[in-house]
Amino acid sequence: MQGEALVAELELLFSLLARTGTGLADEPSLTSTQKVVLIELVAAGPLRLGALAERIGASDPTVSRAIDGLVAAGIAERRPDPDDRRAVLHVATTKGRDWVERRRREVTAALEGVLAGLAPADREHVVRLVALLNDGLREGDPGLSPRSALLAAR
């Protein structure tokens, strides 16, 4: 079936993209979950724990542990929720936003290098097909946030 072939190609793509980038020595060592959490915090702004867990499809305890590590690394912080003083919002720090932006640049550069070798019509076709896949998956689950997985793969 086509789905299995696509999964195999996407696994290879994600694996190859995971190895792109500089891997800076001063970069904090983050788990995959921490990377996904950080990317969501940058993309979606301050979030409560439950909302963040729902966005990435993880349990509250898993996200709480990830946040603990991000806070300890200085790339996320907890702030009081101005709408509910009992609640806490989680937000990326400047260091966290810088990490996500650097990662986006690295992935973009890797993809641009390959896309440059394709004919313009093929480049447009690749982007259009991936957009169709994303649209179809979002229709099945509107809560999906696919942007995190690709960038987190490092």
Side-chain angles (χ1 to χ4, degrees):
M1 302 308 258
Q2 296 293 327
E4 289 180 18
L6 182 58
V7 166
E9 293 298 330
L10 289 173
E11 286 174 345
L12 179 59
L13 176 66
F14 278 31
S15 177
L16 292 168
L17 288 173
R19 291 178 266 185
T20 66
T22 59
L24 300 173
D26 65 341
E27 180 178 274
S29 178
L30 303 177
T31 66
S32 294
T33 302
Q34 288 171 328
K35 292 173 187 177
V36 171
V37 166
L38 179 58
I39 291 163
E40 281 303 312
L41 289 177
V42 170
L47 292 167
R48 290 184 182 178
L49 183 71
L52 180 56
E54 185 176 324
R55 286 182 66 88
I56 68 167
S59 68
D60 287 4
T62 297
V63 173
S64 181
R65 284 189 298 276
I67 288 287
D68 288 344
L70 295 174
V71 169
I75 54 182
E77 61 186 20
R78 294 179 176 96
R79 293 183 183 163
D81 186 335
D83 297 329
D84 181 352
R85 62 186 178 148
R86 298 168 298 165
V88 174
L89 293 173
H90 303 89
V91 61
T93 63
T94 299
K95 184 177 176 182
R97 288 188 302 276
D98 289 348
W99 182 91
V100 170
E101 288 306 314
R102 181 184 58 79
R103 188 70 191 123
R104 283 186 178 137
R105 286 190 305 272
E106 291 171 350
V107 171
T108 298
L111 290 172
E112 289 287 348
V114 174
L115 291 170
L118 301 177
D122 289 340
R123 290 192 295 261
E124 292 173 15
H125 194 66
V126 167
V127 173
R128 193 169 42 256
L129 290 175
V130 172
L132 286 172
L133 287 171
N134 285 334
D135 289 346
L137 290 170
R138 269 192 295 267
E139 285 177 16
D141 185 353
L144 281 179
S145 183
R147 75 182 142 267
S148 305
L150 178 61
L151 297 177
R154 174 102 174 82

